[in-house]
Amino acid sequence: MFSRRRMLQGIAASTGAALGVSLGRESLMASPASPATPKRIVFFMQNQGFDPKTCVPSGMTSSGSLAKAKLPEPISALEPYKERLHIINGLHGIHTSPSHSAFFGALGGYRGSDGVPPSASTIDYELSKTLPQTLLPHLCIGMDSIENMKTKPTIATLSASGAGQPIFMHSNPNHLYQMLYGGISSGDIRRQHEARSSVMNQVERLAVAKGRSLPASDQQRYGQFVSGFQDVNGLRTRLDSVAGQLRKFAPTVDERYTSPEFETDWHDSLLDLGISALTSGITNTLTIGSGRGEIFGAWKGLGVEQQGHNLGHMDQPDNPIWIKIRQYNSRMLVRIMEALESVPEGSGTMMDNTLIVYTSNNADKQHTNGANWPVMLLGNLDGAFKSGCFTQLDGKRPINALYTSLLRAAGQNCDRFNMDDKMAKKFDTGTGPLKEVLA
C-alpha cells in the first residue's frame, strides 16, 4: 500500500513539481527563445467513466465527419463547436486496471489503484516540460463535494512528476486565488497572503538550518523538503514581479468563494481560476479533475441529490442525472474555449493554439476492465490534430498511443509513452502516434 510516510515523502520531493515551478523560469509567457506561438493543453477528467453512448452520435459506427451528425444530448452544448471537435472511440486501458478508477494510471498509462503510488510521470506533467515554459507550467484543480474540498483542500490522485512523486490538485478556490493573485490583492486576501509568505519564508530558513545538523544519510531526503519550500517561495516572488499583467486577468472574488451555496459554486470558481491562469500566461498545462480522480463527487447545484460512489452504479445513457452532469461539463468546456477565443495570439487567438482533452479516469464506466476508453478532443493545437470528425478504432491500441501523439504534436520525438517493449507486445499492436488523430 501507499503508506502515509511514502505519500509525504513523495509530496516533499515534488512540492516544486506540484506547483509546476522551476527557480530558473523568470518570464510570465514563453521566453524569447521559445516558438513565436505558445501552445497549451487542458485535460478534463470526469470520474465514474465516460460511456461512449453519451458522446458518439447515434448511428455512427465507423469513422467520419461530424458535419451532418447530431451530437447526443449530454454533450449538446458542443453542437456549435463540432468543427473543433474530434470524438475518439476504441482506445483501451486494460493494462491500467481501472476498476473504480485508474488514479495516476489514467494519465500515466500504467497500472493504478487506490493507495498505489505513481510508477512514473503522467502525460500532463511531461507536456508541461515540453511546451514553452511559463511561471507555473502545470496547474491541477480538483472538484468534489463541498465537504471534501474544505477538509481536503489539496489532494494527489491523478498527476505525478515521477515515480512516487504525486502532484497536488487544488480544491479550495480561496487558497488557490491567494497563491496566484494574493500579491495583487488588498484587504484580507492581501494580509493573509503576506502572513503566509512570512511563515513560509521562516519555515524555509529553519529547514535549511536544521538540515545541516542531520546525519548525512538523511540530508538528501530532507533537502527535498527544503527545495520544495524554496520553489513555493520563489513562485510567489515571481508572481508578484508580474503583478501588472496578472491584474488584467484575475477573476473577481465574490460570495461564491466565501459563502458557496453549493459545491458547484466552488467548481465554477475553480474553473475561472484555471481559465485565468491560461489566459494570463501563468500556465500552459491545466488538469481538471471532476471527482478528483476518485469515486466521489457531488453536483447538488444541478439538482442532483445523489453523490459519490452511487453515481457510478447508474447507467449513463438516457439517465437524467448523468445528462445534467455531462451537460454541465460541456458548458465548462465551452467556457474554456470562449475565454481562449477572446484573447488574440499570433495571427489568431489562444484557442487556435490549444487542445482540450476530455475523458474519464475510469475508461467507460465505474466497474470496467478498461477495454474501451472514449476521448474527446477540442481544438487542434495550431493545426496538429484533425477536428470535426469521429474516429472509431479497433480497441487494440492503448491510451498511451494518444499520449504519444500529444507529445509528438508538442515537439517531442518519441514512439511510446510509459510502455516498454515487453508491455507493448501484450497491449499495443502498433508503435508511434495515432495516425488517425494527427493532421
Side-chain angles (χ1 to χ4, degrees), residues 2 7 11 45 47 101-108 110-118 122 124 140-144 152 154-160 165-171 287-296 361:
F2 195 14
M7 173 67 87
I11 290 174
M45 310 293 288
N47 68 346
S101 173
F103 292 88
F104 298 107
L107 290 172
Y110 46 70
R111 184 181 181 277
S113 186
D114 190 8
V116 175
T122 50
D124 48 353
C140 301
I141 57 178
M143 302 167 180
D144 203 342
K152 295 185 291 184
T154 59
I155 191 171
T157 58
L158 278 177
S159 304
Q165 297 187 1
I167 295 177
F168 292 116
M169 281 187 287
H170 298 270
S171 294
T287 301
I288 302 169
S290 181
R292 304 204 294 185
E294 299 191 317
I295 60 173
F296 305 110
N361 51 280

Side-chain angles (χ1 to χ4, degrees), residues 195-212:
R196 181 169 294 186
S197 298
S198 177
V199 169
M200 293 293 282
N201 287 329
Q202 185 176 2
V203 170
E204 180 188 333
R205 289 193 294 271
L206 289 172
V208 171
K210 294 294 183 181
R212 299 192 187 102

Side-chain angles (χ1 to χ4, degrees), residues 117-166:
S119 59
S121 61
T122 50
I123 182 61
D124 48 353
Y125 176 75
E126 287 300 316
L127 284 165
S128 76
K129 296 192 303 179
T130 302
L131 295 170
Q133 296 300 286
T134 53
L135 285 181
L136 182 61
H138 189 198
L139 175 63
C140 301
I141 57 178
M143 302 167 180
D144 203 342
S145 68
I146 196 71
E147 296 82 8
N148 285 344
M149 290 189 290
K150 285 182 176 180
T151 57
K152 295 185 291 184
T154 59
I155 191 171
T157 58
L158 278 177
S159 304
S161 61
Q165 297 187 1

Side-chain angles (χ1 to χ4, degrees), residues 81-393:
Y81 304 92
K82 283 192 301 185
E83 76 281 358
R84 293 181 179 264
L85 177 64
H86 191 157
I87 302 170
I88 305 168
N89 195 39
L91 288 169
H92 81 81
I94 296 173
H95 56 302
T96 69
S97 302
S99 188
H100 281 100
S101 173
F103 292 88
F104 298 107
L107 290 172
Y110 46 70
R111 184 181 181 277
S113 186
D114 190 8
V116 175
S119 59
S121 61
T122 50
I123 182 61
D124 48 353
Y125 176 75
E126 287 300 316
L127 284 165
S128 76
K129 296 192 303 179
T130 302
L131 295 170
Q133 296 300 286
T134 53
L135 285 181
L136 182 61
H138 189 198
L139 175 63
C140 301
I141 57 178
M143 302 167 180
D144 203 342
S145 68
I146 196 71
E147 296 82 8
N148 285 344
M149 290 189 290
K150 285 182 176 180
T151 57
K152 295 185 291 184
T154 59
I155 191 171
T157 58
L158 278 177
S159 304
S161 61
Q165 297 187 1
I167 295 177
F168 292 116
M169 281 187 287
H170 298 270
S171 294
N172 186 317
N174 296 289
H175 296 173
L176 182 55
Y177 187 95
Q178 189 180 107
M179 185 186 88
L180 296 177
Y181 302 114
I184 64 171
S185 301
S186 59
D188 288 342
I189 294 177
R190 178 72 183 201
R191 286 189 288 273
Q192 291 169 9
H193 173 76
E194 291 176 346
R196 181 169 294 186
S197 298
S198 177
V199 169
M200 293 293 282
N201 287 329
Q202 185 176 2
V203 170
E204 180 188 333
R205 289 193 294 271
L206 289 172
V208 171
K210 294 294 183 181
R212 299 192 187 102
S213 63
L214 290 173
S217 59
D218 291 332
Q219 284 188 10
Q220 181 178 1
R221 186 173 64 187
Y222 192 79
Q224 294 173 340
F225 286 88
V226 175
S227 177
F229 285 119
Q230 289 174 338
D231 278 351
V232 170
N233 292 333
L235 171 64
R236 185 179 292 108
T237 299
R238 289 191 300 278
L239 287 174
D240 288 349
S241 71
V242 291
Q245 170 77 354
L246 295 185
R247 284 192 179 91
K248 302 175 184 177
F249 297 93
T252 301
V253 175
D254 53 28
E255 65 278 359
R256 294 176 306 162
Y257 285 77
T258 54
S259 304
E261 181 179 3
F262 299 108
E263 65 289 308
T264 44
D265 292 331
W266 270 17
H267 296 184
D268 292 339
S269 298
L270 286 165
L271 184 68
D272 288 343
L273 286 165
I275 289 173
S276 73
L278 291 170
T279 53
S280 67
I282 292 176
T283 192
N284 58 17
T285 309
L286 173 65
T287 301
I288 302 169
S290 181
R292 304 204 294 185
E294 299 191 317
I295 60 173
F296 305 110
W299 292 267
K300 293 180 182 178
L302 306 181
V304 176
E305 292 301 320
Q306 296 90 336
Q307 63 181 24
H309 179 261
N310 290 336
L311 288 170
H313 286 275
M314 302 175 182
D315 288 336
Q316 292 183 15
D318 301 319
N319 184 314
I321 289 176
W322 272 104
I323 288 174
K324 287 181 179 179
I325 295 172
R326 200 73 68 188
Q327 286 180 335
Y328 178 58
N329 291 348
S330 296
R331 291 194 297 272
M332 284 187 161
L333 297 175
V334 170
R335 283 173 59 191
I336 297 171
M337 286 192 291
E338 290 182 342
L340 296 175
E341 189 70 34
S342 70
V343 181
E345 185 172 71
S347 59
T349 70
M350 291 184 78
M351 188 60 211
D352 294 327
N353 307 306
T354 300
L355 183 74
I356 302 172
V357 182
Y358 179 93
T359 186
S360 176
N361 51 280
N362 213 43
D364 57 334
K365 56 185 178 181
Q366 188 189 88
H367 294 281
T368 180
N369 65 358
N372 186 21
W373 205 306
V375 178
M376 295 193 310
L377 306 179
L378 284 158
N380 60 29
L381 202 66
D382 195 24
F385 287 87
K386 298 175 183 177
S387 59
C389 57
F390 165 66
T391 294
Q392 178 64 53
L393 301 172

